[in-house]
Amino acid sequence: QVQLVESGGGLVQAGGSLKLSCVASGSLFSFRMAWYRQVPGKQREFVARITSGGTITYADSVEDRFIVSRNNAKNTMWLQMNSLKPEDTAVYYCNADRIVTPIARYWGQGTQVTVSS
């Protein structure tokens, strides 16, 4: 069992920046990590993904504004969010997928990001 704890959310003005952190209770070497976000009444949507080998994928809506990174030795993943827009307002969730047997998926509790116009 892996526990994920997000932090770094808050209230920021449009155009500002925030950096989210996700700390895992165990090793992340066999995990593909990702950030998702969810607005009340809508489905959770993909934001960014980083594999254990460092391959990165972004949603089109955050490409060129957000930067995902990880440090396996520190069991930590980050999401640097720049040029924030009101439509980025959501609860942001950390996700970890173990890609070796036994395959498993874990979620953090979420951290609120609010961008004011």
Side-chain angles (χ1 to χ4, degrees), residues 29-41:
F29 280 101
S30 299
F31 285 84
R32 180 178 60 214
M33 304 292 295
W35 290 96
Y36 286 75
R37 65 188 182 187
Q38 189 170 22
V39 175

Side-chain angles (χ1 to χ4, degrees), residues 50-101:
I50 181 167
T51 69
S52 58
T55 299
I56 293 173
T57 307
Y58 295 103
D60 290 343
S61 59
V62 306
E63 184 85 56
D64 297 327
R65 298 189 298 123
F66 290 9
I67 300 171
V68 63
S69 60
R70 64 189 287 173
N71 185 319
N72 291 336
K74 295 183 177 180
N75 299 334
T76 303
M77 175 179 65
W78 296 273
L79 183 67
Q80 176 67 46
M81 304 185 295
N82 302 316
S83 302
L84 282 162
K85 304 174 181 180
E87 51 263 44
D88 293 318
T89 296
V91 177
Y92 283 70
Y93 294 91
C94 175
N95 160 258
D97 288 338
R98 183 187 289 125
I99 59 174
V100 296
T101 303

